[in-house]
Amino acid sequence: MASASTEKISDKALRRAEKYGRKRMAAMRGENVPLTIAGWIRFILRTLAIIALLIVFVPLHYLYRTLAYGSPFPMLFLRYTARVVGARVTIVGTPLRRDVFFIANHLSWIDILATAGASGTAFVAKQELSEVPVIGWLCSLNRTVFVKREYRLGVAEQINALKEALQDNWSVTVFPEGTVTDGQSLLPFKSSMLSVLEPPPPGVLVQPVMLDYGENAEEIGWVGEESGLHNAMRIMARKGTFRLVIHYLEPFSPEDYRGRKAIAAKAREEIEAALVASLGRPLRDFEHTVEAIRYTAPDKNFPIE
């Protein structure tokens, strides 16, 4: 009897997993996947929690700015917002606090909330993120530089914005893949945004950063044709929490490398090695057509409604 009961439970879990996988694939294709009642409740509660954080931290931020420069409240706000949306962040290594250019892999808009909350860094992020309600404004609080991949005439303007951030002794983070992936892959690094490092500003170091969402990476990843708003709603309606480990790798001096392409290659090499070590297997090619959810066996911890 116990064996038959276990088999029924396993079959049920597998069916639910397959159903969830189909929903995830539909979202990746850009289809609207309605939230369940429980999902709507979680989404609303998390939204209200973010509003409560806004009510507390935004006035404190602007009050602080009337007295001094370099408010700590955007960093604290983004840190707690990452926690509200479900991220349980662990930091491995030590992030440099100033005069540093972070180069990271990229999976989700949550990357910005979590890494800003960990180090207070400013960002370069794709323009589409600025159009996501609330999230875009939250990122702008931390001086995110939004870029349009197709807007080549604005590259010089974007580089100037990065130079200003570095001159203020801020840290700056770039995602040189130019898009988001699924945590199982790593695209070639585009070096155009590293032009600010030609020549390197005096005293500035480069620190590679590897973001690891573990077994939830393919679910969390904002890939395919899914809209930013749909992704935000899907993640915030998700049951439970998820792990995010931010690995701050060994920093290096950009002066030791000949130009932005060599700097990008060095950073990618370090991030790839850390990601492969975390996965325990080689990286796979990234294609939007591959199945984003690959369940191999029923698991009671599946994040399914």
Side-chain angles (χ1 to χ4, degrees):
M1 291 293 292
S3 177
S5 176
T6 301
E7 184 177 351
K8 287 182 179 179
I9 293 173
S10 298
D11 289 343
K12 182 178 180 181
L14 182 58
R15 287 195 299 271
R16 293 173 67 203
E18 291 174 343
K19 181 179 179 181
Y20 180 81
R22 288 194 297 272
K23 288 183 177 181
R24 180 67 183 89
M25 291 296 293
M28 189 178 71
R29 292 192 297 268
E31 299 174 18
N32 182 37
V33 180
L35 303 182
T36 64
I37 294 176
W40 270 111
I41 292 173
R42 287 190 287 268
F43 172 74
I44 291 171
L45 289 176
R46 283 173 166 150
T47 300
L48 291 175
I50 293 174
I51 292 172
L53 290 174
L54 285 171
I55 292 172
V56 172
F57 283 109
V58 171
L60 289 174
H61 167 67
Y62 286 111
L63 178 62
Y64 188 98
R65 288 297 300 271
T66 64
L67 304 173
Y69 187 73
S71 168
F73 293 110
M75 179 178 73
L76 294 174
F77 172 73
L78 294 170
R79 178 185 301 171
Y80 290 121
T81 300
R83 188 171 182 84
V84 165
V85 302
R88 294 298 177 262
V89 178
T90 301
I91 297 174
V92 176
T94 303
L96 300 179
R97 293 300 179 183
R98 53 184 295 172
D99 296 325
V100 57
F101 207 81
F102 294 119
I103 297 179
N105 61 318
H106 195 20
L107 286 84
S108 168
W109 49 272
I110 300 168
D111 300 348
I112 290 181
L113 303 181
T115 51
S119 67
T121 181
F123 286 92
V124 179
K126 63 180 184 177
Q127 180 67 28
E128 292 87 341
L129 188 61
S130 69
E131 300 166 3
V132 178
V134 181
I135 299 298
W137 179 71
L138 296 181
C139 296
S140 68
L141 279 180
N142 222 47
R143 200 174 180 176
T144 298
V145 178
F146 296 109
V147 299
K148 293 183 178 180
R149 281 173 287 177
E150 70 279 7
Y151 183 43
R152 297 186 180 276
L153 295 179
V155 171
E157 179 181 342
Q158 294 155 10
I159 290 173
N160 287 335
L162 288 176
K163 287 181 177 178
E164 289 178 6
L166 286 172
Q167 287 170 356
D168 287 339
N169 292 325
W170 291 13
S171 59
V172 175
T173 299
V174 296
F175 302 112
E177 289 171 285
T179 187
V180 286
T181 60
D182 57 6
Q184 316 296 313
S185 316
L186 196 63
L187 295 175
F189 280 10
K190 300 177 181 179
S191 62
S192 58
M193 281 296 100
L194 303 186
S195 297
V196 68
L197 299 176
E198 285 186 328
V204 170
L205 296 178
V206 172
Q207 186 167 25
V209 181
M210 193 275 282
L211 303 174
D212 179 16
Y213 286 83
E215 63 184 9
N216 297 305
E218 294 178 294
E219 177 198 357
I220 299 298
W222 178 14
V223 298
E225 303 302 318
E226 184 177 20
S227 70
L229 177 59
H230 188 280
N231 181 272
M233 292 182 67
R234 180 171 62 81
I235 299 303
M236 291 174 64
R238 182 184 182 279
K239 183 178 181 180
T241 61
F242 53 89
R243 179 181 67 95
L244 169 55
V245 182
I246 306 177
H247 295 261
Y248 287 95
L249 307 177
E250 191 67 25
F252 63 88
S253 173
E255 294 181 350
D256 296 337
Y257 297 85
R258 296 184 177 180
R260 55 187 172 86
K261 291 185 178 181
I263 295 169
K266 170 63 175 175
R268 190 185 187 283
E269 177 185 338
E270 297 296 328
I271 293 171
E272 179 177 0
L275 184 55
V276 168
S278 176
L279 293 173
R281 61 179 182 273
L283 302 184
R284 72 182 185 208
D285 292 337
F286 178 64
E287 298 179 11
H288 290 167
T289 55
V290 302
E291 294 206 8
I293 301 296
R294 295 186 177 183
Y295 294 118
T296 56
D299 189 325
K300 65 181 180 179
N301 293 320
F302 280 146
I304 305 167
E305 301 295 348

